[in-house]
Each structure stands twice: as C-alpha cells, then as structure tokens.
C-alpha cells in the first residue's frame, strides 16, 4: 500500500508506477490512478481495481507523482 502525506484540497495528486524503461506499468498508470483530492497525512493511494502493491513486489519500479495545485510532503510503502 502506498501512503502519502499531501495537501490537495484545492487540486489533486495522481500517482503512477513506471518500469525500468520509464513505461507505465499496466494497472498502475496515471490514467488508472484514483486522484487524491484532500488534505491528509496518511492517504492511501489507489488505482482502478486495487489499492495493493502486491503485484509489484520484487520488481524495480519508479514512482511518478503528478501534482496539480497540490503539495506532497512524504510517502511510504507499507
């Protein structure tokens, strides 16, 4: 599970996971991301169909955050 501390009550945060060639991973692309549109110190990031990162376990991935009128303070994987 990806947890973020963000201020997005007047904007949104969209998260995607990329593989080693910077290609979005199916199921975790920005188009499938559920935008965060709130202030939260522990918001769970989700994608259409899942909030779990289990399918990515053991893979080398990159995280790309798209911030639209928002601030990202921290993130953690649990």
């Amino acid at each position: 599970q990806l947890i973020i501390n963000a201020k997005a009550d007047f904007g949104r945060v969209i998260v995607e996971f990329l593989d080693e060639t910077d290609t979005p991973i199916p199921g975790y692309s920005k188009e499938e991301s559920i935008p965060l549109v709130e202030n939260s110190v522990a918001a769970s990031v989700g994608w259409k169909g899942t909030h779990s990162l289990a399918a990515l376990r053991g893979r080398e991935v990159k995280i790309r955050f798209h911030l639209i009128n928002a601030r990202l303070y921290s993130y953690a994987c649990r």
Side-chain angles (χ1 to χ4, degrees):
Q1 189 175 29
L2 179 65
I3 305 296
I4 63 173
N5 175 356
K7 178 175 175 39
D9 53 343
F10 294 105
R12 63 185 179 270
V13 178
I14 298 168
V15 183
E16 67 181 330
F17 280 88
L18 310 170
D19 65 15
E20 60 279 346
T21 64
D22 294 336
T23 303
I25 297 172
Y28 298 93
S29 68
K30 71 178 181 181
E31 291 79 20
E32 297 164 294
S33 178
I34 299 169
L36 175 72
V37 293
E38 62 184 279
N39 271 350
S40 180
V41 295
S44 177
V45 176
W47 296 265
K48 295 174 185 163
T50 190
H51 277 74
S52 173
L53 300 179
L56 303 176
R57 184 168 291 149
R59 290 183 69 175
E60 190 171 313
V61 297
K62 299 175 186 178
I63 305 172
R64 181 179 291 160
F65 295 94
H66 299 270
L67 305 173
I68 297 96
N69 198 31
R71 292 186 182 134
L72 176 67
Y73 298 108
S74 63
Y75 65 93
C77 294
R78 295 184 185 167

